[in-house]
């Protein structure tokens, strides 16, 4: 059996400690050098304050902390540590001093120096405002002394930075009527970015404006000193009341509640991507994948390179084995006509069954890329006969930000297509958990902005490629996982994250969803050959991943609805509620290393639960057929709802009866 931590979140390493702190009326968490979840009563003021070193390709250079010291009082704190960032030719070191005062002032200081010469895109503090601040009144103070009254964007904006959030020395926003939070910046000009473009659940304010050239050289010996200061502007009685609310609302597990509500959303058809490892499916893999009741299989045809005929033949073979149509993504060169003529001849011979055509530029760029209208129009001219009866979509094969910079032609398409992943900017467990809720905003905002149904394809845990690089990307070090592979793919956490993702994308109105791949370390089950790096990606050869069972639970009710559900603490647990005819199912997922008991309301007072946790995962992965055949154990009721024990990182499937 795999170790409990590996089963839970894919790694032997323990999760970082979370230290609760107070600064007068503010409650917050200190974790791994960062401040997180700064709250005033029941309202989140800031999501995170941290410092980052970004290399010339926007890669985050990890830092090692030493000399850490945390002094916490009842209403104040003082934290200090040193950090070293070393990677390739980068050697940057800095010292931190973070203080919280009884009046609610929080001050973060960094004092750093380069110990080598290197290229960077950014070094300094980042401040995250939670996505719930969307539409809030705000005041921007510029470094030139100007002040602007505005609001944080409601719909996701492609403008980076949006006006007037540029060259800032301070940014204040209204937390609630009469209560303002002001963040002041020293050491550089700061600007705001709408991180919801990448499904980060936040607006990010960072130093070094993007209008300045990058990358730039940091010479050995260069100093970087910055300060971020948060203050709260509220009457004393308001602060005291909020402080009491904050203390009272810390709560206990007995308050954990998931409420199923009557409003519903159509469950989008779900598909998978063709495995990138290139090996054909085995008979056992086909049988297990057919059990998911998939709606389609995505395959990418890169028409800018050779090999499209072989790729299409493999895709058609596997789609036929799974008895599903294809979702064909065409990656077109800047001059697409010759490639499309060749593809037309190939399609005339092969006659694939296609449910969706996704049309992208192979060389997609934020600025100066191939106009989407040109490649869609060319595809329409050359493939008109083959497009009939299928969805025709365009948008981005990278991130939503590309859609705003190069909008698809609504008169030539009937759907918008965007991918999503939670790890463009941050990779820790908490940030990945935060990001899942932003998928609802992404789908909703895209639909509202462009007026078309939204295909989300694919959903992955990590970016598939880096379209932002300013130089050649280095090969992963020997023994390191490829940048597209996350060991959480094979974990219980990956299963819970997938359940929450389906919930939020359905509630955002997504018309179709494609997840992951069929097999391999980017898929829903390990290949028969096993992991290419078993010491880093510790899967079981031929076994399904826990997220397979989430997709199977959803497939059982394919064609049904997703019911609205509300978690009392979505960063600790989430739920997916499904209904088909008279059958209702709830999948509860834990994101927490501690056991919980969740009160489930809205499903009636009778139900049975099948628990997928560290104790049952081995059987569930090796023998999914037997695991799924179990009826589940009866749950206790308090007369109005069901009491659901939720072990650490467990996924519990509850069927009402």
């Amino acid at each position: 059996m795999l170790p409990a931590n590996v089963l839970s979140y894919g790694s032997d390493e323990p999760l970082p400690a979370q230290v609760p702190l107070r600064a007068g009326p503010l409650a917050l968490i200190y974790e791994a050098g960062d401040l997180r979840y700064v709250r005033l009563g029941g309202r989140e003021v800031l999501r995170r304050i941290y410092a980052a070193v970004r290399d010339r390709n926007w890669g985050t250079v990890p830092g090692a902390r030493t000399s850490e010291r945390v002094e916490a009082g009842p209403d104040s704190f003082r934290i200090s540590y040193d950090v070293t960032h070393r990677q390739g030719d980068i050697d940057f070191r800095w010292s931190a001093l973070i203080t919280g005062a009884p009046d609610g002032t929080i001050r973060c200081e960094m004092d750093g120096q380069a110990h080598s010469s290197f290229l960077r895109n950014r070094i300094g503090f980042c401040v995250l405002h939670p996505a719930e601040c969307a539409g809030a009144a705000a005041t921007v103070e510029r470094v030139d002394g100007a002040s602007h009254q505005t609001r944080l964007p409601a719909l996701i904006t492609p403008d980076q930075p949006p006006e007037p959030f540029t060259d800032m020395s301070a940014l204040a926003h209204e937390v609630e009527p009469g209560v303002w939070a002001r963040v002041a910046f020293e050491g550089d000009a700061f600007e705001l970015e709408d991180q919801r473009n990448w499904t980060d659940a936040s607006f990010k304010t960072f130093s070094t404006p993007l209008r300045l050239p990058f990358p730039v050289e940091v010479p050995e010996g260069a100093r970087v000193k910055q300060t971020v200061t948060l203050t709260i502007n509220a009457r004393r009685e308001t602060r005291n009341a909020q402080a009491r609310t904050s203390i009272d609302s810390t709560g206990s597990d007995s308050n954990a509640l998931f409420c199923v509500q009557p409003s519903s959303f159509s469950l989008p058809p779900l598909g998978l991507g063709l495995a990138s490892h290139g090996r054909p499916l085995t008979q056992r893999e086909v049988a297990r994948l057919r059990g998911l009741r998939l709606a389609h299989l995505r395959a990418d045809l890169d028409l800018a390179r050779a090999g499209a005929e072989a790729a299409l033949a493999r895709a058609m073979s596997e789609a036929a084995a799974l008895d599903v149509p294809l979702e064909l993504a065409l990656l077109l060169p800047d001059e697409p006509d010759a490639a499309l003529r060749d593809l037309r001849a190939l399609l005339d011979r092969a006659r694939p069954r296609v449910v969706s055509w996704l049309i992208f530029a192979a060389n997609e760029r934020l600025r100066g890329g191939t106009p989407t209208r040109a490649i869609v129009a060319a595809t329409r001219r050359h493939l008109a006969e083959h497009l009939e009866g299928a969805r025709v979509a365009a948008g981005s094969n990278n991130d939503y930000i590309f859609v705003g910079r190069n909008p698809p032609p609504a008169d030539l398409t009937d759907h918008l297509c965007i991918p999503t992943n939670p790890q463009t900017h941050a990779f820790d467990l908490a940030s990945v958990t935060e990001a899942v809720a932003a998928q609802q905003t992404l789908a909703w905002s895209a639909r509202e902005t462009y007026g078309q149904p939204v295909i989300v394809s694919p959903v992955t845990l990590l970016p598939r490629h880096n379209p932002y690089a300013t130089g050649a990307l280095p090969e992963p070090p020997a023994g390191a996982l490829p940048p597209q592979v996350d060991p959480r793919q094979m974990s219980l956490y990956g299963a819970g994250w997938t359940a929450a993702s389906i919930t939020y994308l359905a509630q955002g109105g997504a018309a179709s969803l494609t997840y992951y791949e069929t097999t391999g370390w980017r898929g829903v089950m390990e290949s028969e050959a096993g992991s290419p790096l078993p010491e880093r990606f510790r899967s079981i050869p031929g076994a399904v991943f826990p997220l397979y069972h989430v997709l199977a639970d959803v497939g059982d009710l394919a064609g049904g609805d997703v019911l609205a559900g509300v978690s009392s603490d979505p960063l600790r647990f989430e739920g997916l509620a499904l209904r088909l005819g008279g059958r209702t199912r709830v999948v509860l997922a834990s994101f927490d290393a501690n056991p919980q008991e969740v009160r489930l309301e809205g499903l009636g007072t009778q139900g049975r639960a099948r628990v997928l946790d560290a104790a049952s995962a081995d059987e569930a992965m090796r023998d999914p057929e037997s695991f799924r055949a179990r009826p589940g154990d009866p749950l206790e009721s308090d007369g109005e709802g069901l009491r659901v024990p939720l072990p650490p990182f467990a996924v519990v499937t509850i069927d009402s009866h």
Side-chain angles (χ1 to χ4, degrees):
M1 291 183 63
L2 296 174
N5 285 358
V6 173
L7 283 171
S8 294
Y9 48 84
S11 171
D12 272 323
E13 295 296 319
L15 295 175
Q18 293 192 333
V19 182
L21 299 171
R22 295 200 65 85
L26 298 177
L28 63 149
I29 295 293
Y30 173 70
E31 178 187 286
D34 304 343
L35 301 187
R36 308 187 81 123
Y37 314 123
V38 181
R39 303 184 69 86
L40 179 67
R43 299 298 296 269
E44 188 175 350
V45 177
L46 296 180
R47 172 131 298 181
R48 189 180 178 194
I49 304 175
Y50 66 100
V53 176
R54 306 292 294 274
D55 67 19
R56 65 168 300 164
N57 292 322
W58 294 108
T60 300
V61 182
R65 289 190 326 282
T66 57
S67 306
E68 185 176 47
R69 185 173 182 180
V70 179
E71 304 170 48
D75 60 359
S76 63
F77 61 87
R78 186 181 191 277
I79 301 168
S80 61
Y81 54 81
D82 299 322
V83 187
T84 299
H85 300 262
R86 283 200 187 102
Q87 185 172 280
D89 60 352
I90 296 174
D91 185 347
F92 183 78
R93 310 173 198 178
W94 59 282
S95 298
L97 177 61
I98 308 173
T99 58
D103 65 355
T105 299
I106 295 176
R107 183 177 176 87
C108 302
E109 303 175 37
M110 73 172 297
D111 186 351
Q113 185 174 19
H115 287 253
S116 66
S117 296
F118 57 89
L119 293 176
R120 61 86 175 152
N121 284 354
R122 179 179 302 152
I123 295 177
F125 277 122
C126 298
V127 178
L128 305 187
H129 287 72
E132 289 76 15
C133 292
T139 301
V140 172
E141 300 173 36
R142 293 271 185 81
V143 293
D144 62 5
S147 180
H148 300 269
Q149 306 301 313
T150 184
R151 288 186 178 274
L152 287 161
L155 290 173
I156 299 174
T157 175
D159 299 322
Q160 307 291 322
E163 284 291 339
F165 299 93
T166 60
D167 293 309
M168 296 188 298
S169 60
L171 171 62
H173 78 282
E174 191 173 33
V175 179
E176 58 183 45
V179 179
W180 285 72
R182 179 178 181 269
V183 184
F185 313 103
E186 300 174 48
D188 202 346
F190 282 67
E191 66 185 26
L192 182 131
E193 176 178 83
D194 191 344
Q195 287 202 127
R196 299 176 300 167
N197 278 284
W198 299 271
T199 63
D200 296 74
S202 58
F203 300 91
K204 178 171 69 177
T205 302
F206 55 85
S207 61
T208 313
L210 286 173
R211 60 179 170 76
L212 300 177
F214 61 86
V216 298
E217 184 179 42
V218 180
E220 183 176 356
R223 300 291 296 272
V224 177
K225 297 182 69 173
Q226 292 183 3
T227 302
V228 169
T229 305
L230 167 67
T231 54
I232 299 295
N233 178 15
R235 295 187 301 272
R236 182 182 298 274
E237 58 271 23
T238 302
R239 291 191 188 191
N240 291 339
Q242 293 283 20
R244 289 193 296 271
T245 302
S246 181
I247 294 171
D248 293 342
S249 65
T250 55
S252 65
D253 289 345
S254 62
N255 297 323
L257 172 68
F258 187 80
C259 184
V260 179
Q261 300 180 334
S263 55
S264 63
F265 309 83
S266 295
L267 173 63
L270 267 64
L272 295 174
L274 195 67
S276 55
H277 56 64
R279 292 186 295 274
L281 296 173
T282 67
Q283 289 185 347
R284 184 169 72 163
E285 289 167 348
V286 168
R288 288 178 172 174
L289 289 169
R290 287 176 71 103
L292 299 180
R293 296 174 175 84
L294 299 172
H296 58 265
L297 178 70
R298 170 170 168 156
D300 290 23
L301 300 183
D302 189 346
L303 303 184
R305 301 181 180 183
E309 184 170 2
L312 180 60
R314 178 186 166 220
M316 291 179 61
S317 174
E318 297 201 0
L322 299 176
D323 192 24
V324 296
L326 286 169
E327 178 180 82
L328 277 183
L330 305 182
L331 295 107
L332 296 168
D334 290 352
E335 300 295 334
D337 291 292
L340 286 168
R341 283 193 293 269
D342 291 343
L343 178 62
R344 168 63 186 265
L346 177 59
L347 296 175
D348 287 344
R349 296 191 302 271
R351 295 288 171 178
R353 184 162 62 112
V354 181
V355 68
S356 298
W357 296 89
L358 315 180
I359 305 170
F360 308 116
N363 187 21
E364 191 174 15
R365 297 184 296 275
L366 270 179
R367 294 177 177 85
T370 306
T372 302
R373 170 171 284 277
I375 60 172
V376 174
T379 305
R380 284 282 191 189
R381 287 196 308 271
H382 289 282
L383 306 184
E385 175 188 343
H386 295 281
L387 301 181
E388 291 181 4
R391 295 181 292 228
V392 177
S396 175
N397 196 38
N398 285 298
D399 290 305
Y400 183 58
I401 185 73
F402 288 84
V403 179
R405 300 293 176 86
N406 191 358
D411 57 320
L412 298 179
T413 59
D414 45 55
H415 281 66
L416 177 73
C417 180
I418 48 177
T420 183
N421 78 84
Q423 296 188 78
T424 298
H425 297 112
F427 318 100
D428 60 283
L429 204 71
S431 295
V432 176
T433 304
E434 293 165 11
V436 69
Q439 293 181 5
Q440 178 174 344
T441 303
L442 180 77
W444 166 78
S445 189
R447 193 162 44 89
E448 288 292 310
T449 301
Y450 297 99
Q452 290 186 317
V454 177
I455 294 172
V456 182
S457 177
V459 181
T460 56
L461 286 181
L462 277 166
R464 292 164 296 144
H465 24 71
N466 181 356
Y468 311 102
T470 63
L473 294 170
E475 290 295 321
L481 291 172
Q484 303 88 357
V485 176
D486 188 332
R488 289 174 286 206
Q489 185 91 18
M490 50 73 62
S491 71
L492 292 165
Y493 175 83
W497 190 92
T498 302
S501 171
I502 295 169
T503 289
Y504 282 114
L505 286 171
Q507 293 183 163
S512 174
L513 304 176
T514 302
Y515 280 86
Y516 313 127
E517 297 179 358
T518 52
T519 64
W521 53 12
R522 295 163 64 181
V524 302
M525 64 180 74
E526 187 52 274
S527 66
E528 303 285 356
S531 169
L533 288 172
E535 69 281 3
R536 298 298 305 277
F537 192 95
R538 298 171 65 177
S539 54
I540 301 169
V544 305
F545 300 152
L547 59 82
Y548 171 93
H549 289 286
V550 169
L551 296 176
D553 285 340
V554 175
D556 287 347
L557 280 74
D561 293 324
V562 173
L563 302 176
V566 178
S567 166
S568 61
D569 194 344
L571 296 182
R572 292 192 66 205
F573 68 93
E574 263 295 358
L576 167 62
L578 304 163
R579 181 179 60 198
L580 178 64
R583 187 178 178 189
T584 306
R585 168 175 287 173
V586 173
V587 180
L588 286 180
S590 168
F591 301 138
D592 200 279
N594 298 303
Q596 308 172 65
E597 182 176 272
V598 176
R599 189 169 186 271
L600 176 58
E601 294 184 351
L603 194 65
T605 57
Q606 291 185 313
R608 303 185 75 91
R610 186 180 67 242
V611 180
L612 176 56
D613 64 357
S616 61
D618 191 74
E619 178 196 0
M621 293 190 292
R622 295 179 190 271
D623 189 1
E625 294 80 10
S626 295
F627 177 78
R628 298 197 60 76
R630 293 182 177 180
D633 298 322
L635 291 169
E636 294 184 11
S637 170
D638 59 9
E640 297 181 1
L642 295 170
R643 293 165 52 191
V644 184
L646 196 57
F649 295 105
V651 175
V652 179
T653 302
I654 304 110
D655 287 303
S656 65
H657 63 276

